[in-house]
Amino acid sequence: MAAEPPSSSLSHRTTGSTCLYPLSQLLGIPLDQVNFVACQLFALGAAFWFRVYLTPLKTNSKIRHAFATLLGIYFSIFCFGWYSFFVAMGYLTICHISRIYIFHYGILTTDFSGPLMIVTQKITTLAFQVHDGLGRKAEDLSAEQQRLAVKVKPSFLEYLSYLLNFMSVIAGPCNNFADYVAFIEGRHVQTKLLEVNWKQRLPPSCPEPSPTGAVIRKLCVTLVSLLLFLTLTKTFPVTCLTEEWFVHETNFLTQLCYLYIVTQASKPKYYFAWTLADAVNNAAGFGFSGVDKNGNFCWDLLSNLNIWKIETATSFKMYLANWNIQTAAWLKCVCYERVPWYPTVLTFILSALWHGVYPGYYFTFLTGVLVTLAARTVRNNYRHYFLSSQATKGIYDVVTWAVTQLAVSYTVAPFILLAVEPTISLYKSMYFYLHIISLMIILFLPAKPQAHTQRQPQTLNSVNKEKTY
């Protein structure tokens, strides 16, 4: 999560278009965010046109690649200027640093680093998938790695289209190269239907899957999220967490509750951006994931969050698994499943580095390591005692829901505050309570193994070696 930039940010940055400046002034929203929303709404219309008039049934895949690429490049220039074309992890970090020290420290803007973060994910994802396809034996790959392995070197046009297509260049999400090429070539839906036993789930006369219903539902979510964002963030501003009265005059329980409310108020902007990005891809016909057990078509292949599961999460793991889903999948693909030591710690560190260089990010992700390990330890030691009846299971779920939501609020506070001083001030006023509790749990409770879990992907040549946590 991140603090919103003030409208004055325009005077310090000249990237992007200023043609929407009057609208920005009228709404009281920074120009960079207006440009972002305008591009995504235009992309939504372009996506419908792309699906209908450049259908793979009538259009060569090279034309579809070229159109998607050129429009994506235009969107990038419109929103972020020419900075949007320098990529890879090293340059991404340099951009994060320049954003802090050249522009404004403590202000998180919607700038060129956003698309670079998505492009970095795609470059590294494709690199590992090419490595799996051309540099490793099939028996050394998991089933998922075999499915996604790229066995033929992509053409330059395919590469550009994958990185810069208009559906995902502004806000993502990251996707797999094999899925994207299948979509461009018109094999996307058929491929996903073949992955499930769809003939037993669908009637013989079932129509071709249409994304229209899914797009409408997601647009409704974006509208509600936008309204919540415009109201809640003004009512419960993040700046209150750093004010004198909150840090020094408010009691612990009040701080706990208010911190939860502030972090809840910060979430709708993510719900808005990610759901709109998902809808844009669906409108173009990309994102079909198959058929559910009731025979309904699903369009959640590229979904970045599950709002219901986030808000009802009863564990830190469940919360993280449903928040920024595609980034979690990227971290699993390029780090968690591949590093030989300390996969949880290294994955959190990579996630922090990818997000940027604000100290608050590292406070959040390192705190997240502690909380994750502590939550896992508690769950493995005590959860089985509460599964004997529906009543005790219900009590357990309510308690763990409350604990999870408060723990998340505490953990992500530095992500919102960004800087060291306000983070330390807030945590000090709350006695570093979650850090202390998590450390005590890790140090004094026995580390029991998780039942029925398999972290390392299964391959034909899997070795039975435990990786060190």
Side-chain angles (χ1 to χ4, degrees):
M1 298 181 180
E4 286 299 307
S7 57
S8 62
S9 63
L10 172 68
S11 61
H12 302 280
R13 291 164 51 250
T14 58
T15 59
S17 171
T18 59
C19 64
L20 297 176
Y21 183 61
L23 180 61
S24 169
Q25 292 292 94
L26 178 64
L27 297 177
I29 300 174
L31 178 63
D32 49 14
Q33 296 176 28
V34 174
N35 284 343
F36 167 84
V37 174
C39 267
Q40 286 296 79
L41 292 178
F42 186 81
L44 183 67
F48 276 113
W49 185 90
F50 185 76
R51 181 170 62 90
V52 174
Y53 292 100
L54 290 184
T55 170
L57 297 177
K58 300 178 181 179
T59 308
N60 185 280
S61 60
K62 291 183 179 179
I63 295 176
R64 283 168 58 85
H65 275 305
F67 178 85
T69 303
L70 292 174
L71 193 56
I73 290 173
Y74 173 74
F75 283 172
S76 297
I77 296 173
F78 178 85
C79 271
F80 311 112
W82 293 99
Y83 281 117
S84 49
F85 298 105
F86 297 90
V87 295
M89 201 70 190
Y91 184 76
L92 176 62
T93 302
I94 293 173
C95 289
H96 281 312
I97 294 172
S98 69
R99 181 171 66 159
I100 293 176
Y101 296 108
I102 296 177
F103 300 127
H104 278 291
Y105 186 86
I107 297 174
L108 193 64
T109 53
T110 307
D111 63 8
F112 60 87
S113 61
L116 286 181
M117 293 167 74
I118 300 299
V119 168
T120 299
Q121 286 187 336
K122 289 185 177 182
I123 289 174
T124 52
T125 296
L126 181 56
F128 277 109
Q129 290 173 352
V130 169
H131 173 64
D132 290 341
L134 300 179
R136 298 176 66 190
K137 297 178 180 179
E139 57 266 25
D140 292 331
L141 304 177
S142 68
E144 182 71 358
Q145 288 170 345
Q146 288 188 43
R147 184 183 75 82
L148 298 174
V150 178
K151 300 178 181 179
V152 178
K153 182 180 178 181
S155 69
F156 184 63
L157 179 59
E158 289 175 331
Y159 183 69
L160 286 181
S161 179
Y162 173 63
L163 296 182
L164 302 175
N165 69 82
F166 74 94
M167 288 94 70
S168 61
V169 69
I170 300 297
C174 179
N175 50 72
N176 295 302
F177 182 78
D179 290 330
Y180 179 73
V181 172
F183 154 68
I184 290 292
E185 296 178 354
R187 298 181 285 105
H188 175 56
V189 171
Q190 181 183 11
T191 300
K192 294 302 174 185
L193 286 175
L194 289 174
E195 291 176 4
V196 298
N197 194 7
W198 63 276
K199 289 185 178 179
Q200 294 183 4
R201 300 185 184 183
L202 299 175
S205 60
C206 186
E208 181 77 9
S210 171
T212 304
V215 172
I216 292 174
R217 288 193 298 273
K218 291 173 184 180
L219 289 179
C220 290
V221 172
T222 63
L223 179 60
V224 173
S225 299
L226 181 61
L227 293 175
L228 289 174
F229 167 67
L230 294 175
T231 55
L232 292 179
T233 52
K234 293 181 179 180
T235 307
F236 304 101
V238 173
T239 52
C240 287
L241 299 180
T242 62
E243 292 182 4
E244 188 76 14
W245 67 268
F246 182 84
V247 175
H248 298 292
E249 300 176 13
T250 309
N251 63 59
F252 176 77
L253 289 178
T254 302
Q255 286 183 329
L256 206 61
C257 293
Y258 194 81
L259 180 60
Y260 170 74
I261 294 172
V262 168
T263 52
Q264 286 293 103
S266 299
K267 287 195 283 189
K269 68 177 178 181
Y270 296 96
Y271 293 169
F272 168 80
W274 289 340
T275 306
L276 180 57
D278 194 10
V280 168
N281 280 274
N282 290 170
F286 189 25
F288 181 72
S289 58
V291 184
D292 66 17
K293 61 183 180 180
N294 297 319
N296 300 315
F297 295 127
C298 299
W299 288 86
D300 58 359
L301 179 70
L302 305 177
S303 295
N304 232 341
L305 75 170
N306 185 316
I307 296 176
W308 174 253
K309 289 185 178 180
I310 288 171
E311 300 299 342
T312 59
T314 56
S315 70
F316 207 75
K317 179 182 178 181
M318 180 180 175
Y319 194 105
L320 294 179
N322 291 284
W323 176 271
N324 208 350
I325 296 171
Q326 302 308 321
T327 293
W330 169 69
L331 290 168
K332 179 182 178 183
C333 169
V334 304
C335 183
Y336 191 76
E337 290 182 342
R338 299 179 189 266
V339 295
W341 306 286
Y342 306 106
T344 300
V345 175
L346 292 175
T347 300
F348 272 106
I349 292 174
L350 175 60
S351 182
L353 181 63
W354 176 78
H355 278 86
V357 294
Y358 279 112
Y361 296 161
Y362 296 86
F363 272 101
T364 286
F365 288 110
L366 292 177
T367 301
V369 172
L370 282 179
V371 175
T372 298
L373 295 178
R376 180 185 301 166
T377 302
V378 171
R379 182 181 180 87
N380 294 342
N381 277 275
Y382 296 109
R383 184 176 184 270
H384 59 278
Y385 293 121
F386 295 89
L387 302 180
S388 57
S389 69
Q390 285 294 109
T392 55
K393 177 64 166 56
I395 294 173
Y396 176 85
D397 287 342
V398 170
V399 172
T400 52
W401 171 82
V403 170
T404 297
Q405 299 300 320
L406 293 177
V408 169
S409 300
Y410 179 94
T411 303
V412 303
F415 203 101
I416 299 173
L417 297 173
L418 301 177
V420 173
E421 185 177 347
T423 296
I424 295 297
S425 179
L426 175 66
Y427 277 167
K428 185 178 179 180
S429 72
M430 301 185 76
Y431 312 107
F432 290 91
Y433 83 94
L434 193 58
H435 289 90
I436 295 172
I437 292 174
S438 297
L439 282 172
M440 291 179 65
I441 290 172
I442 294 170
L443 292 175
F444 296 110
L445 281 183
K448 295 184 178 181
Q450 287 181 282
H452 308 297
T453 60
Q454 184 67 40
R455 189 191 64 78
Q456 192 174 358
Q458 288 291 301
T459 67
L460 295 177
N461 284 343
S462 290
V463 290
N464 296 320
K465 293 182 179 179
E466 288 290 330
K467 289 189 177 181
T468 307
Y469 279 81

